[in-house]
Amino acid sequence: MSPPALVMLAEALRIAAPYACAAIGGVWAERAGVVQIGLEGVLLASAFASVAVAHATGSAAAGLAAAIAAGAALSLGHAVVVERAGVHAVVSGIALNLLAYAGTRLLLRGLYDSASSSPAVEGFRAGPTGHSGAALLARVLLDPVAIAAALAIAATPILLARTRFGLRVRAAGEDAVAAAAAGVPVTRVRCAALALSGAICALGGAHLAYDQHRFDAGMSGGRGFIALAAVVVSGLRAGRAALACLVFGALEALQIALQPAARGASRAGDLAQLLPYVATLVALGLAARRAGRPGARAAP
């Protein structure tokens, strides 16, 4: 493989990782029967948690653990609000996104006296130094967060199809009444699935923050919405959702590579910024269409 191709592959994988983590988290939530449009907020909050703890302790591993805890807690809170308090999942998800957006800005101001960005953190050191295509690809593939994300992507279909917990999650999502009649504790299963969803999504937040070596306000940049679109388009299949995110990462990497040749095309850049919102509308439309077909089921 030629050096430019290696660079493009490395960039595509690096860019796709946060999208894929959020998408796999979305798969777990949707399979459990809880709509999760708060993926954007989970990404944002976990990114902040990773940087804040890594900066305070000097440990990237501690920052990663904090990100996972924050993502799991937020997503679990979403599940509790929906299941216990009876709040509509879309309303709760919107509230989660707003809370994460405003809360991270408030904490930035309180901790670092800045409304835009945090101090720099180092993140994980993995792979060789240098700017060659092989070095860039090695750093991406050896990054601990990327490895954890790949394991989560690979394990999700197996857990959903071949474990007792996965079968309960699917049962709760497909027919909660029948599952409850069969003795499945639907609420507890959904809460556990949402906590796992948030933990996996949080890997994407930590990857995003460590990749940029700091936290920037609003740095999730619509990635949670793109991931939601990938979940819906994939038919709730983890492998297809991850592949959709990889395709999007490749297109974004290509866009970055072509930027020097298109600096004058300001209108195209403005239209590209609308992509997350357009993808969200498409995803919601597809979800509504699928929900309107009785008997529709997703494969493991």
Side-chain angles (χ1 to χ4, degrees), residues 115-200:
S116 58
S117 62
S118 72
V121 296
E122 186 171 341
F124 290 105
R125 286 185 176 181
T129 58
H131 299 287
S132 67
L136 289 172
L137 183 59
R139 285 201 295 273
V140 170
L141 295 178
L142 295 176
D143 180 77
V145 185
I147 293 173
L151 291 175
I153 293 169
T156 290
I158 298 172
L159 292 175
L160 283 171
R162 300 183 183 180
T163 66
R164 183 181 181 185
F165 175 65
L167 293 175
R168 287 187 165 196
V169 168
R170 290 166 54 197
E174 292 177 3
D175 194 331
V177 175
V184 176
V186 173
T187 297
R188 280 189 294 171
V189 167
R190 284 178 169 175
C191 287
L194 264 292
L196 180 59
S197 163
I200 296 173

Side-chain angles (χ1 to χ4, degrees), residues 77-88:
H78 171 64
V80 170
V81 167
V82 171
E83 291 295 307
R84 296 292 188 184
V87 176
H88 196 284

Side-chain angles (χ1 to χ4, degrees), residues 11 13-22 39-51 63-64 67 118-119 121-124 143-146 149 200-225 248 252 256:
E11 287 296 298
L13 292 172
R14 178 185 65 82
I15 292 170
Y19 294 104
C21 290
L39 296 172
E40 182 83 359
V42 174
L43 279 175
L44 195 59
S46 58
F48 179 85
S50 66
V51 169
L64 177 60
S118 72
V121 296
E122 186 171 341
F124 290 105
D143 180 77
V145 185
I200 296 173
C201 183
L203 293 174
H207 186 280
L208 182 64
Y210 286 168
D211 181 58
Q212 299 187 21
H213 299 287
R214 67 178 186 274
F215 176 84
D216 292 325
M219 72 184 306
S220 51
R223 288 172 174 82
F225 298 122
F248 187 84
E252 188 171 331
I256 293 172

Side-chain angles (χ1 to χ4, degrees), residues 222-244:
R223 288 172 174 82
F225 298 122
I226 296 295
L228 177 63
V231 170
V232 176
V233 170
S234 71
L236 310 188
R237 298 183 183 184
R240 291 185 180 183
L243 181 60

